[in-house]
């Protein structure tokens, strides 16, 4: 599991992305989110988790589609490998 560097194709802000599943993406901003015009225009408060750049979201989806960004799979113990309590 590693963060992969990606930049927004619209505003060029660099982020680190880790994709766990189609529904779970972890985004770590390398710079202030106010540098992204789309986010600063939305006017949401600093620290708001709802903040994101739709163009960046598109960039991530495209990177996944082109296999530039690979999903990291969390290995969960199954069957016989399940830890037992005794
Ligand atoms: Zn952006």
């Amino acid at each position: 599991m590693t963060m992969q560097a990606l930049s927004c194709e619209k505003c060029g802000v660099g982020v680190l992305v880790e994709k766990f599943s189609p529904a779970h993406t972890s985004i770590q901003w390398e710079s202030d989110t106010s540098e992204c015009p789309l986010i600063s225009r939305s006017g949401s408060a600093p620290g708001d988790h709802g903040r994101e750049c739709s163009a960046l979201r598109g960039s991530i989806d495209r990177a996944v589609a082109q296999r530039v960004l690979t999903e990291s799979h969390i290995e969960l113990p199954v069957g016989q490998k399940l830890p037992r309590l005794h």
Side-chain angles (χ1 to χ4, degrees):
M1 292 192 279
T2 44
M3 305 291 285
Q4 293 170 79
L6 199 81
S7 55
C8 178
E9 57 190 22
K10 200 127 203 166
C11 59
V13 171
V15 291
L16 292 173
V17 184
E18 181 158 12
K19 188 93 179 147
F20 296 105
S21 72
H24 186 180
T25 310
S26 170
I27 299 172
Q28 193 181 305
W29 294 85
E30 288 189 294
S31 51
D32 199 308
T33 50
S34 62
E35 282 181 34
C36 176
L38 283 173
I39 290 177
S40 54
R41 208 188 305 142
S42 72
S44 43
D48 186 345
H49 278 280
R51 295 199 301 174
E52 67 169 37
C53 171
S54 55
L56 174 66
R57 179 62 62 173
S59 306
I60 293 171
D61 288 344
R62 234 179 313 281
V64 171
Q66 292 167 357
R67 300 204 165 270
V68 175
L69 188 69
T70 47
E71 281 178 20
S72 41
H73 295 278
I74 303 165
E75 303 252 345
L76 296 171
V78 285
Q80 295 298 315
K81 289 186 207 154
L82 273 176
R84 306 203 181 247
L85 293 174
H86 56 90

